[in-house]
Amino acid sequence: MKKIILVTGATSGFGKAIAIKFAENGHKLIITGRRKDRLEDLKSKLENEFNAEVLALCFDVRDAAEVERNILALPENWKAIDVLVNNAGLAVGMSPVHEGVLDDWERMIDTNMKGLLYMTRFVAPLMVARMNGHIINIGSVAGKEVYPNGNVYCGSKFGVDAITKGTRIDLVQYNIKVTQVAPGAANTEFSVVRFKGDQQRADTVYKGFKPLSAGDIAEVVYYVTTLPEHVNINDLVIMPTAQASSMHFHKA
Ligand code: NDP
Ligand code: 8X3
């Protein structure tokens, strides 16, 4: 059955790979992000390579009014969203708490927690009305274990862990599945963003072991949507084989 999948943060990393995976499998995609040029490039790729139907929506998930406007303005034939993948997110900076940069903190909390909440707030009613849907939140190992200088990023992902559980409880009566996918180290643009464009520093994060790829996470996100109607995966933690916890890596 052809489903409608809405993926936030589809301009890079996991979100882009997830959009490709669902398009490859014949589904309709709503792709979102702030970088319009990348959204347009991805839309063309999905249309040309997979003959997919694609709607590209350019907005910032931190802006509640924009989120509401974009969801309410969906064309009728795009409103029956089957799967919402709350993927947009970021880490910014890696300072001890007493030296933290307030703007970095706001960006992480506003994107990772409030943005995910705004998306859920305006998409979930469409699912409730249909008594059907699946919300997949991208958490992190950082939402399971705190590590040095991870303070606020970890806090925002612990928040995603709690919000996912609360969402599942609130929506269980409406036949809506709610899943958290919590990856470990994956080589996307994540570390370049965290280190504010310092590619060299970002590269050192993934030196000496094989990190996850965006495609690995796309496989998992796709998999959780393929289970029978009565089966839901609540939570999945996925790490590279060479990673045992937030802090333990086997590096060459
Ligand atoms: P990328 O930096 O490659 O992708 C992040 C995506 O989020 C981009 O598409 C970006 O789009 C989007 N985004 C960021 N801020 C906003 C915003 N305010 N509004 C809309 N979209 C936004 O990183 P990843 O793919 O690695 O990250 C995806 C998710 O996975 C994040 O939630 C991250 O915390 C999580 N994660 C990452 C891990 C890793 O090691 N890579 C491990 C565990 C979890 P644009 O800039 O165009 O808006
Ligand atoms: C990203 C993984 O370990 O850098 O969420 O926090 S980590």
Side-chain angles (χ1 to χ4, degrees), residues 139-142 147 153-154 157 183-186 190-191 194 205 243 246 249:
S140 171
V141 296
Y147 53 82
Y153 178 66
C154 293
K157 289 297 185 179
F190 175 83
S191 291
R194 171 172 250 175
V205 175
Q243 180 179 13
S246 275
F249 290 84

Side-chain angles (χ1 to χ4, degrees), residues 45-129:
K45 178 184 171 70
L46 301 180
E47 288 171 345
N48 297 335
E49 289 182 25
F50 309 113
N51 204 21
E53 289 176 72
V54 184
L55 189 64
L57 301 176
C58 189
F59 63 87
D60 188 327
V61 294
R62 293 172 297 179
D63 185 336
E66 271 296 284
V67 173
E68 180 176 25
R69 194 183 63 73
N70 274 279
I71 300 304
L72 293 182
L74 282 172
E76 274 317 308
N77 58 332
W78 285 95
K79 281 201 164 120
I81 295 167
D82 295 288
V83 181
L84 165 64
V85 186
N86 276 317
N87 162 76
L90 75 182
V92 201
M94 216 180 166
S95 309
V97 74
H98 64 290
E99 293 170 2
V101 177
L102 298 192
D103 185 57
D104 294 350
W105 293 3
E106 312 291 1
R107 286 176 64 192
M108 289 187 275
I109 291 169
D110 288 353
T111 311
N112 300 351
M113 293 178 70
K114 291 165 70 180
L116 176 147
L117 280 168
Y118 298 153
M119 288 301 304
T120 302
R121 174 63 186 84
F122 296 111
V123 172
L126 301 172
M127 295 178 169
V128 167

Side-chain angles (χ1 to χ4, degrees), residues 16-224:
K16 182 176 178 182
I18 291 165
I20 291 170
K21 180 74 191 173
F22 279 97
E24 261 174 8
N25 283 279
H27 298 294
K28 291 171 66 169
L29 268 301
I30 304 174
I31 52 172
T32 85
R34 291 166 301 175
R35 285 170 287 183
K36 200 172 182 0
D37 52 338
R38 288 198 185 198
L39 280 178
E40 289 307 325
D41 288 350
L42 180 61
K43 180 173 166 18
S44 302
K45 178 184 171 70
L46 301 180
E47 288 171 345
N48 297 335
E49 289 182 25
F50 309 113
N51 204 21
E53 289 176 72
V54 184
L55 189 64
L57 301 176
C58 189
F59 63 87
D60 188 327
V61 294
R62 293 172 297 179
D63 185 336
E66 271 296 284
V67 173
E68 180 176 25
R69 194 183 63 73
N70 274 279
I71 300 304
L72 293 182
L74 282 172
E76 274 317 308
N77 58 332
W78 285 95
K79 281 201 164 120
I81 295 167
D82 295 288
V83 181
L84 165 64
V85 186
N86 276 317
N87 162 76
L90 75 182
V92 201
M94 216 180 166
S95 309
V97 74
H98 64 290
E99 293 170 2
V101 177
L102 298 192
D103 185 57
D104 294 350
W105 293 3
E106 312 291 1
R107 286 176 64 192
M108 289 187 275
I109 291 169
D110 288 353
T111 311
N112 300 351
M113 293 178 70
K114 291 165 70 180
L116 176 147
L117 280 168
Y118 298 153
M119 288 301 304
T120 302
R121 174 63 186 84
F122 296 111
V123 172
L126 301 172
M127 295 178 169
V128 167
R130 296 170 54 236
M131 292 288 283
N132 195 28
H134 194 164
I135 297 173
I136 302 172
N137 292 335
I138 305 298
S140 171
V141 296
K144 303 288 182 182
E145 308 161 38
V146 179
Y147 53 82
N149 302 328
N151 43 61
V152 176
Y153 178 66
C154 293
S156 73
K157 289 297 185 179
F158 269 75
V160 170
D161 190 72
I163 290 164
T164 304
K165 289 173 182 153
T167 305
R168 186 180 310 116
I169 291 167
D170 292 348
L171 299 182
V172 69
Q173 63 186 309
Y174 302 109
N175 188 43
I176 295 171
K177 298 186 185 192
V178 181
T179 300
Q180 174 173 246
V181 172
N187 195 356
T188 59
E189 293 178 14
F190 175 83
S191 291
V192 186
V193 172
R194 171 172 250 175
F195 300 126
K196 303 179 181 178
D198 185 341
Q199 182 71 56
Q200 241 180 337
R201 190 170 172 199
D203 289 343
T204 62
V205 175
Y206 310 106
K207 271 229 168 79
F209 73 105
K210 185 168 182 180
L212 298 170
S213 68
D216 295 329
I217 297 307
E219 289 291 330
V220 170
V221 169
Y222 182 72
Y223 166 71
V224 304

